[in-house]
Amino acid sequence: RNELHVAAGVKIAWRSRRDAKVRPTHVLADSDSRSNPRDPGQPFANGLLFPHQPGADDDEVRQCRCVVATVGDDGQQIVPKWWTSIFGS
């Protein structure tokens, strides 16, 4: 799957809830990847490949509410057409 995303020019970005409960390392991953999206398989600023990564330190994944967003080369989030048809843009 990663190879398909890279070939299609799709990058990923870490997205946190951006509230007071977000751990500092996840704030860092979020803010860094907004300006510097990653190729799938490339670690984020906190060292993880994605939120909830199996085998990661429990302090990084326990009760994490973060997600990965797919973004284009321009950094804009890619929203599937089925999503916008149901929920709007």
Side-chain angles (χ1 to χ4, degrees):
R1 224 166 83 170
N2 289 348
E3 296 81 16
L4 293 175
H5 283 96
V6 172
V10 173
K11 301 211 179 254
I12 57 173
W14 189 287
R15 297 292 190 250
S16 73
R17 294 287 180 106
R18 303 183 102 190
D19 62 21
K21 295 179 183 178
V22 177
R23 355 177 123 76
T25 55
H26 293 201
V27 170
L28 175 65
D30 181 304
S31 62
D32 179 60
S33 70
R34 284 181 186 272
S35 59
N36 185 22
R38 306 293 195 272
D39 288 326
Q42 183 183 18
F44 288 97
N46 61 3
L48 297 179
L49 297 173
F50 50 86
H52 317 282
Q53 180 180 329
D57 186 49
D58 193 49
D59 289 340
E60 286 292 329
V61 297
R62 186 177 0 101
Q63 297 181 331
C64 174
R65 301 169 295 142
C66 299
V67 297
V68 167
T70 53
V71 296
D73 285 331
D74 60 359
Q76 294 297 311
Q77 186 166 338
I78 298 170
V79 180
K81 289 182 182 182
W82 65 264
W83 180 273
T84 55
S85 69
I86 297 170
F87 301 106
S89 54

